Amino acid sequence: MSKARILLVEDSELQAKSAIKFLENDGYEVQWAKDGKAAITLIKTHPIDIVLLDLVLPDMTGNQLCHWLRQNEDTKGIPIIMLTVKSEVKDKVASLEAGADDYLPKPYNEIELNARIYACLRTKALQDDLRQNNVMLENLLKKVAVLASTDYLTGLYNRRQFEKVIKNEYLRAVRYNEPLTCLMLDLDNFKMINDSFGHSAGDTVLKEVSQVITACLREIDHIARWGGEEFIVALPKTDREGALTPASRILKAVSEYHVSILPCEEMITFSIGIASIPEPSITTFEQLIHNADEALYRAKKNGRNRFEIHQTAQNLINSRQQDTTLSTIS
């Protein structure tokens, strides 16, 4: 433990000089403070590894200074050995309760003091290693959590994470009687891109258009890669009519964007299906997603590069009634 930095808090100059001499001979760097205030100043301005603290000081007790060191965020982990002529059990207990790690009566044996210093520093080193390992473990767990919830290619939510998010949004919307819209998006003619330019180009297309879509959304919106060339978006507090604006914005932004790896004449387009609540026929978030998927199928069927709104049960009834009326008139 050579080169460890010791703060000696001792009001007796004679005892301090004697202690400093043998401590420096053992390889320690020593800072000396005559009272509590000087000790606080030194510990704020110098890196300290361990404190040797006299119980009796001219301006405060060693226990008071020990308590302050333990309450301060920057000094609470520094080992403290209390040195005092008071050797009664109640004095030892009071110092340990104030936060001291060890207690050594005066006059102390220099060999014993050195052994106690070494023991405290060894314990501190083990605690520091444990703390560092815990930080590393926490960071690793955070990285694992991110990997488990995001798509490896685009960095967006993956399907499993999005299902958790939209479930919470659905429950919140139902509870507070708020609208919620789901957009299902599918890249048009993606197979042709892979076949013509290769899968690496296809990956680039997916990464770049995911950024384009994200830029069209609000901070409260959620986007995920649903699978393959499909993306999905949750729009909280957005009804069916309100969803037309972001859907139109996405179609326009994507169609005007030229992926860096493709020839300029290659235009990327999306088809989008839209479904919203409140809607009596939708009683689960899975149904909301399913309805958006059905609307996406209609967008594909009706020509691509467009969006379609899922037909609600009432709309279907109205549409069938209208068809029946037209047929009767005919």
Side-chain angles (χ1 to χ4, degrees), residues 37-51:
K37 291 182 180 178
I40 291 173
T41 300
L42 280 172
I43 209 164
K44 284 182 176 180
T45 56
H46 292 76
I48 299 298
D49 295 313
I50 188 169
V51 177

Side-chain angles (χ1 to χ4, degrees), residues 113-223:
L113 175 60
N114 193 46
R116 290 175 183 258
I117 291 172
Y118 183 87
C120 283
L121 290 174
R122 181 181 57 200
T123 300
K124 182 178 184 297
L126 292 173
Q127 291 173 340
D128 290 343
D129 287 344
L130 179 61
R131 192 176 298 110
Q132 184 177 6
N133 289 337
N134 286 339
V135 171
M136 293 173 62
L137 179 59
E138 288 176 3
N139 291 335
L140 180 60
L141 291 175
K142 288 178 182 177
K143 291 180 180 178
V144 170
V146 170
L147 291 174
S149 63
T150 56
D151 173 59
Y152 74 97
L153 181 64
T154 62
L156 303 177
Y157 284 151
N158 59 23
R159 182 169 183 155
R160 179 167 49 183
Q161 182 64 21
F162 183 83
E163 287 179 339
K164 294 179 182 179
V165 171
I166 197 170
K167 179 181 179 181
N168 290 334
E169 291 290 356
Y170 178 86
L171 294 175
R172 184 182 296 112
V174 171
R175 179 177 181 181
Y176 295 106
N177 195 27
E178 294 177 344
L180 172 66
T181 294
C182 178
L183 307 182
M184 185 71 78
L185 306 88
D186 187 84
L187 198 59
D188 295 328
N189 302 314
F190 185 68
K191 184 178 184 303
M192 185 181 67
I193 294 174
N194 277 335
D195 292 343
S196 300
F197 304 102
H199 289 279
S200 177
D203 288 347
T204 300
V205 170
L206 292 173
K207 286 189 288 187
E208 294 191 17
V209 297
S210 69
Q211 296 171 3
V212 175
I213 298 170
T214 302
C216 296
L217 302 175
R218 304 166 299 177
E219 289 186 3
I220 66 170
D221 300 331
H222 309 283
I223 178 173

